[in-house]
Every structure is written in structure tokens, then in C-alpha cells.
Amino acid sequence: MGEAKRKLEKHKEMLWSCAGVQTMAGQVEVRWETESAATPMGQLAYVIDFLNLTGPWSRWLAACPLRSSSPNAPAIGDVIGMWMLSILSGHRRYSHVTTIRGDGVNPVLLAMSTVVSADAPRKGLLRIPEAARTNWLDGNLDESKAALEEREQLYLFKLKLSKKVKRHISRLCDETDWAEAGQGWEGNEGQLALHCWNHKRRVIVLRRPRTREKVAQDDSGHLMLSFSEANRKRGKEITGYEYAVLVTNTRYGILTLGPLYRDRADAENAFDELKKPWGRGGYTTHDLHRCQLAARAVALIHNWWRLFVRLARQEARREAITSRPWLMTSVGRKTEHAGQTTVTLTGLPAHCVQPRVALMRVSTWLRGWVAETAEPLAQPSLWHRVCDHLKRILAGIGAPPAHPLLKNCPNGVS
């Protein structure tokens, strides 16, 4: 009798939740379903599979210094998992975490025991000791970056005009051996070691004259990078310079490096992505340490996402504004039967074929690499196999230089 009553109540609720709406195409029945677990980011199941098999998620979680003595405090995995889902969604504020609370699929796939509120990551990060915050993320960030110098890969980057870089520019202002760099630029080179570097690197300072610019001072009264002097080549007075500072390990001359950097195309769009679609300047709080921690976390998850996207699409780079809808947005519905959990994805027919093929290809590669790493003599981990695959395919970067083996001895024994 009780079962019959429950079925009757459920039938009444279904009839109540159905409603007919009059549209331009005629009468349409709209039905609400509240019992199914669903998510608007169904394809994240493949991303979670990637992070689980390769191991960065478990290592990041295991090294988390977040601790709580309260028995009612949420678990570490619930706090960090909710924060990661928020960052992947492109959020910029802790309050945006609330939009994920209705997700009935991805938190379960991350083995989260409960869906926490927006205050959980905001207050939880505050409990992490300041000394442990930086160390927690720096090691994971180093793991997610390509070691260009160790692999003898040539690089060319532009430096931010920090205080130490500006002091370096000031030391070069009085020198006269500036070389032609093309298109009105001139350059001078030297060596510089910044705070986060372990050794000095070759630095190229480029400058171009400006006109109608006043010499400005900062709050402390020091001159900013606008130095009045005469143009030695044209004999005209100039009021300031526009500066650009490059760091490189190449042997190219200044005249070559200037145009080489100007022809960089979209090579630096990733830095702009971090500031805008990824919200690296977001998750702001009143204390600087939590802001720095959030910036590092956004950079780390950005690196994970970029690696996954390049596995799915190797022929071209996709920015977050296109890669997120392409590899995240599809309705996922979770069902359970006989102990088996199934996530059914429903995507737009016009945009479903390509991501499905790409994600299935990534899944096949991962399982093939898992089988290879399971062999007794296999040395590289699955994470290193993925990184080496991308470096080889995308940048032509080979493995790190190996120590040479013993050469053949005179007696024929090697």
C-alpha cells in the first residue's frame, strides 16, 4: 500500500510539472525532471579521466596543506574540487562557485562527498599557512611546464618591465653602443638574473624614440622610463623612449632578434588568455597571499587544460573562448544500474561529431599509454609520456640529453 501511494504521488507530481506552452510553432509540452543527475558540462568526464590517469590531480590534492580541526569542516577534496571546477568554468570570483552547486555529475566523478558553498574555498584557503601556500603550487607548476633549457630548446620571450628590469634599462641609458634593430628600434644587450631565475640569462633591451612626451616621475620622485636627450642620428630632440626587453638563449644578433620577435604572430596569446578568459587576476580577497595562491592555481589548471586541448586538437591551438564550448559544453545525464554508472552526453548535432571523435581518440591514446607504463621495464610515467608526445609532435622537442653509454672496449666487451 505504501508503494502504491508513492507511485500515485510521483504520478501527480509529474502531471503537475508538465505544462503546455504556446509557441510560434504551436503547442509544446514542457516537462520538469528533478530526480535525474545532470550537468551542462558533460564532456568534462574526459578531462577528469585525463587528470586521473596521468596523476597531476591526485598529486596536487595529496600535497595540499589545508587542514581543519572541526569535524563539520568540508573535506579537502570537496574544497579543491569545487575550486577547480570553478576555474575550468572561467569564473573570476568565489561567489561564482554557486553556479556549480546544481551540477549532479562532475563533483561525483571527482569523488567529492558533497557540493560545498562559495565560502568553503574562500575560507579554506585562508587556513593554509602562508609559508606552505607557495611551496604547494610551485612544485606542481614546475611539473606542468616544458623545460626548454634542459632540452636545449631555443626560446625568445618578452619581459615585464619590473623594477629590476627598469634598473637594468637605466644602466644602459648612458651607453653609446646601441645597435640598429629595424623599424626605428635600436638595441643593447647584457645579462640579467631576476628573482625567480637560478642563473643569468641573455637580455636584449630595445628602445624607440618618442615625441611630445614629458618626463614623468613616480610617487617616490624617481624618473620613469622617459629620458630626454638628443637623437644622435637625426639631430632632433626627443622627449622619451618606448622600451621592450627580450630574454633569449639564441645566438642571433640584435638586428635579427627585433624582427623575429615582431613576427611572433599569436605566440603570446596564452598570456592574454590567462588575464581575460581564465581570470588570473580574479578570486581577489583582502590579503595578498590568497590572491597569489589563486593566481598560481589558475595558471596550473590552465596548463592542464592546454595540454588536454592539444591532445584533442594537435593541428592548431584553440583559445579558451572556443575550446571550452568545444570540449566542455554538452548536457550530461548520469544514471546507475546494476552497480554501473553511465554518463549520457547530448550535444548539438552540428557541433557534436568533431569533439566526439577528438575525445575518443584521446581516451584511446591514454589507455594505450597506460598499458605501456604497466610493463615491468617501462621507466617513464604516463604523465611524462603525454608531455613527451606533445613536445615531439607540436614543437619537435626531443627527449632530454641522455648520458652516453660506455663505448666498445678493445677486447670487444661493451
Side-chain angles (χ1 to χ4, degrees):
M1 188 65 180
E3 184 66 24
K5 285 186 176 180
R6 282 193 295 270
K7 288 184 178 180
L8 181 61
E9 292 296 328
K10 186 175 181 180
H11 181 68
K12 290 181 179 180
E13 182 181 355
M14 183 192 69
L15 294 177
W16 179 82
S17 63
C18 295
V21 295
Q22 190 67 35
T23 69
M24 291 72 163
Q27 184 80 7
V28 176
E29 183 179 288
V30 179
R31 177 177 299 175
W32 288 84
E33 186 177 5
T34 59
E35 295 184 356
S36 298
T39 175
M41 301 182 295
Q43 294 168 208
L44 271 185
Y46 287 94
V47 182
I48 296 173
D49 176 52
F50 165 72
L51 296 177
N52 178 48
L53 292 178
T54 54
W57 165 252
S58 60
R59 291 190 292 271
W60 189 43
L61 196 62
C64 179
L66 175 61
R67 299 292 182 268
S68 178
S69 58
S70 173
N72 299 323
I76 298 176
D78 298 343
V79 176
I80 304 303
M82 202 65 172
W83 196 26
M84 186 187 74
L85 291 176
S86 176
I87 294 174
L88 280 174
S89 302
H91 295 169
R92 301 181 63 89
R93 298 289 183 267
Y94 290 102
S95 59
H96 298 168
V97 175
T98 308
T99 61
I100 310 177
R101 300 200 67 183
D103 193 322
V105 178
N106 292 314
V108 178
L109 301 183
L110 283 171
M112 295 170 55
S113 58
T114 183
V115 180
V116 300
S117 66
D119 287 334
R122 183 192 294 115
K123 295 180 179 179
L125 298 177
L126 186 61
R127 296 198 304 268
I128 300 178
E130 294 182 4
R133 294 175 187 174
T134 304
N135 296 332
W136 171 40
L137 280 170
D138 281 352
N140 292 273
L141 271 172
D142 291 339
E143 185 187 57
S144 66
K145 297 183 295 187
L148 297 181
E149 290 183 324
E150 294 179 6
R151 295 175 180 270
E152 300 179 356
Q153 178 72 13
L154 302 180
Y155 61 83
L156 176 62
F157 296 106
K158 184 179 180 180
L159 292 177
K160 183 180 178 180
L161 294 181
S162 61
K163 290 183 179 180
K164 196 166 185 178
V165 175
K166 289 181 179 180
R167 287 198 298 267
H168 180 72
I169 295 175
S170 300
R171 289 194 295 266
L172 298 177
C173 287
D174 295 332
E175 296 188 8
T176 59
D177 54 344
W178 290 82
E180 179 67 27
Q183 297 188 10
W185 292 85
E186 55 184 3
N188 203 330
E189 72 171 273
Q191 288 189 334
L192 183 64
L194 297 182
H195 174 69
C196 56
W197 296 357
N198 53 14
H199 63 275
K200 291 185 177 181
R201 291 182 169 93
R202 184 190 180 197
V203 171
I204 310 296
V205 177
L206 301 177
R207 69 179 185 181
R208 180 170 57 183
R210 282 181 175 177
T211 58
R212 291 192 299 271
E213 180 179 325
K214 297 181 180 179
V215 180
Q217 293 182 346
D218 57 18
D219 296 335
S220 59
H222 294 91
L223 290 178
M224 299 180 67
L225 291 180
S226 300
F227 305 101
S228 297
E229 59 181 77
N231 190 323
R232 300 184 302 273
K233 297 181 179 179
R234 300 182 180 180
K236 297 180 180 179
E237 184 179 354
I238 58 177
T239 57
Y241 280 105
E242 175 186 358
Y243 288 91
V245 183
L246 310 178
V247 57
T248 181
N249 62 345
T250 67
R251 298 181 179 274
Y252 299 135
I254 295 177
L255 185 58
T256 303
L257 288 173
L260 184 62
Y261 181 77
R262 288 192 292 270
D263 297 340
R264 64 192 181 278
D266 65 344
E268 290 186 345
N269 283 1
F271 301 105
D272 187 61
E273 270 191 79
L274 281 171
K275 292 186 291 184
K276 295 178 182 177
W278 282 95
R280 194 180 184 187
Y283 297 100
T284 54
T285 54
H286 291 291
D287 61 289
L288 179 61
H289 290 284
R290 265 190 300 175
C291 295
Q292 293 175 341
L293 182 62
R296 285 179 168 89
V298 171
L300 175 63
I301 296 173
H302 161 268
N303 288 354
W304 291 350
W305 176 255
R306 286 288 302 275
L307 291 173
F308 179 78
V309 171
R310 291 316 297 264
L311 278 177
R313 182 181 173 85
Q314 299 185 11
E315 61 272 14
R317 188 183 69 85
R318 276 181 176 261
E319 297 183 1
I321 195 172
T322 57
S323 64
R324 283 200 187 109
W326 189 57
L327 294 178
M328 284 177 56
T329 306
S330 64
V331 177
R333 180 180 177 184
K334 181 175 70 70
T335 56
E336 297 180 355
H337 178 70
Q340 176 64 45
T341 301
T342 302
V343 178
T344 304
L345 303 182
T346 304
L348 296 176
H351 304 282
C352 187
V353 177
Q354 289 186 354
R356 181 181 64 186
V357 172
L359 291 173
M360 292 298 296
R361 182 173 63 245
V362 172
S363 180
T364 302
W365 284 345
L366 289 175
R367 271 138 192 82
W369 290 328
V370 166
E372 292 177 2
T373 55
E375 298 177 3
L377 298 179
Q379 296 295 330
S381 64
L382 178 59
W383 174 257
H384 288 91
R385 285 182 179 270
V386 170
C387 294
D388 289 339
H389 171 78
L390 290 175
K391 293 169 188 174
R392 184 175 62 255
I393 298 298
L394 303 179
I397 304 175
H403 296 289
L405 300 175
L406 293 177
K407 297 182 180 179
N408 292 334
C409 299
N411 58 4
V413 179
S414 59

